[in-house]
Amino acid sequence: MNSLFSPLKAGLIELPNRIVMAPLTRARGGAKHVPSAVMAEYYAQRASAGLIITEATMIAADGCAFVEEGGLFNEACVAGWRGVTDEVHRRGGRIMVQLWHPGRAAHSALNGGSQPISSTDRAIQNDTIRIPGLGAQPYEVPRRLETHEIPGIVKLFGEATRRAKQAGFDGIQLHAAHGYLLDQFLRDSVNDRSDAYGGSIANRAKLLLEVVDVASREIGAGRVSVRISPLVDYNDIADSNPSELVAYLAAEFERRGLSFLELRQHAHVLPAEEQLVGIARQHFHGVLMLNGGFDQASGEAAVSSGRADAIVYGRAFIGNADLVKRFAVGAPLNAMDATTLYGPDGRGYTDYPVLPA
Ligand code: PHB
């Protein structure tokens, strides 16, 4: 029987434990989105995680949907991330970069006037985006990508994966969740296309699978993972048949030998959520990581029962660089300070107390 402390092989990546750090936007990348020394320190402090997955990282210079996220779209970004991966590795950790294009969740005011792109020309409704200096703004109407532009998107992910390898990452995760660009193709409340990238599940999954394939050619499928969230409605998105969508994707990931699949759900307590875990397991026999609402006890239960191979923790890693040790000794967790989540410096980032050595 496995526990959170059992080692795990996820494709080509060997994890010493099953307590994985989730991607977390912390906005310390500066205006140029280049990782800095304080980011290297932050990630390296968390090197005892079974695996670190970085913050959602921009693959395109005009793919910003927040402020000061890390990027991986030029050589300066590669050099910045090299400083991070070197420090994580020096302290014995493993780190994968999450590659991300926000699609219609971006805004022209954050991207030098570039109109957001998407699978559709319909804007995100009933939500706003925070623009520095302007406050909360409605989302913009995106430009629907033409079919002939889609190879260009695949190429962006391929190039970012090549840079990830140059920067020394152990692997990459494709962010196909939370209503961002890849998800805007996957789910049918947003994807209203009539070309080869819309309509059937196979067509809607075509972009993601082309991206998986280009990334696998660059870095090896055993170093590529995908995050999906078929039931999460964040960014105004839904799917009419999540079970079929997961069955199809899981089978395609199985054929391709991915490092792992991360299933992000709201809280992993609803019957519909449980059902998707079963479907993912049925069709994908590689490593399945679950994320959403777990504490130590529920994470332990999911791993020991075999429902999950590893648990991805977000908030708990913000205030607890030594989360693995705290779980191991049953120490209380530091609470996270929400006022220092997004920059500008090490306060509330690298200065949470850790247990004495
Ligand atoms: C998310 O995946 O929900 C996400 C990604 C990037 C952000 C914020 C949230 O900057």
Side-chain angles (χ1 to χ4, degrees):
M1 195 169 83
N2 289 310
S3 87
L4 284 172
F5 299 97
S6 309
L8 174 67
K9 194 154 187 287
L12 293 171
I13 307 174
E14 311 239 1
L15 283 60
N17 63 64
R18 296 165 184 237
I19 302 163
V20 172
M21 178 174 162
L24 297 161
T25 291
R26 305 302 309 278
R28 264 80 174 181
K32 293 193 160 23
H33 308 282
V34 174
S36 56
V38 76
M39 285 172 63
E41 176 59 16
Y42 162 78
Y43 282 113
Q45 287 173 340
R46 288 154 178 79
S48 59
L51 172 70
I52 294 167
I53 309 174
T54 70
E55 63 208 78
T57 296
M58 295 159 54
I59 62 163
D62 62 357
C64 173
F66 202 73
V67 285
E68 309 199 352
E69 316 90 310
L72 200 41
F73 50 78
N74 62 24
E75 290 308 309
C77 293
V78 172
W81 279 118
R82 175 52 91 170
V84 175
T85 64
D86 280 350
E87 197 55 23
V88 169
H89 290 146
R90 198 177 66 76
R91 296 202 220 168
R94 297 133 302 279
I95 182 166
M96 179 177 251
V97 62
Q98 190 192 56
L99 298 180
W100 170 68
H101 196 302
R104 69 176 189 159
H107 194 285
S108 63
L110 299 170
N111 291 297
S114 290
Q115 185 185 4
I117 54 170
S118 185
S119 59
T120 181
D121 54 10
R122 290 172 299 137
I124 294 175
Q125 302 292 321
N126 303 318
D127 203 356
T128 54
I129 177 167
R130 197 174 60 88
I131 311 285
L134 296 175
Q137 297 291 314
Y139 281 95
E140 294 175 309
V141 171
R143 190 173 65 74
R144 182 195 298 273
L145 285 165
E146 305 268 356
T147 311
H148 69 81
E149 294 178 283
I150 292 187
I153 301 295
V154 176
K155 190 160 173 268
L156 281 176
F157 277 99
E159 289 167 350
T161 305
R162 184 174 311 165
R163 289 188 203 102
K165 195 173 167 186
Q166 289 164 357
F169 283 105
D170 298 288
I172 64 127
Q173 180 175 72
L174 298 168
H175 193 349
H178 292 177
Y180 294 112
L181 183 63
L182 296 173
D183 206 11
Q184 289 159 27
F185 278 80
L186 283 181
R187 288 197 265 172
D188 61 5
S189 81
V190 174
N191 185 333
D192 55 1
R193 305 177 71 85
S194 53
D195 65 359
Y197 293 87
S200 66
I201 288 176
N203 283 4
R204 285 184 272 126
K206 192 168 152 60
L207 172 59
L208 171 58
L209 295 175
E210 288 178 358
V211 169
V212 167
D213 289 341
V214 76
S216 299
R217 281 196 294 278
E218 291 292 344
I219 202 167
R223 297 187 182 281
V224 173
S225 90
V226 175
R227 169 189 263 205
I228 57 171
S229 61
L231 297 174
V232 175
D233 63 2
Y234 179 59
N235 283 323
D236 187 22
I237 193 165
D239 194 80
S240 61
N241 196 338
S243 304
E244 283 297 316
L245 182 62
V246 170
Y248 181 81
L249 290 175
E252 291 297 318
F253 297 156
E254 171 70 16
R255 292 205 303 130
R256 288 166 169 81
L258 286 196
S259 169
F260 66 88
L261 170 61
E262 179 189 348
L263 185 55
R264 164 84 165 117
Q265 310 215 81
H266 176 60
H268 287 278
V269 292
L270 301 173
E273 294 181 321
E274 286 310 300
Q275 197 198 343
L276 284 196
V277 173
I279 292 168
R281 277 287 201 213
Q282 187 187 338
H283 297 275
F284 179 69
H285 306 125
V287 164
L288 179 66
M289 300 196 184
L290 300 184
N291 177 348
F294 287 96
D295 60 12
Q296 182 177 359
S298 58
E300 194 62 77
V303 170
S304 63
S305 68
R307 219 153 34 88
D309 296 306
I311 305 297
V312 183
Y313 291 94
R315 285 162 178 263
F317 266 112
I318 293 176
N320 301 278
D322 55 352
L323 184 67
V324 173
K325 183 172 174 184
R326 286 175 191 259
F327 278 1
V329 303
L333 302 188
N334 297 316
M336 136 193 140
D337 176 0
T339 66
T340 49
L341 276 180
Y342 305 122
D345 50 26
R347 272 173 300 151
Y349 189 53
T350 50
D351 60 359
Y352 283 98
V354 294
L355 296 176

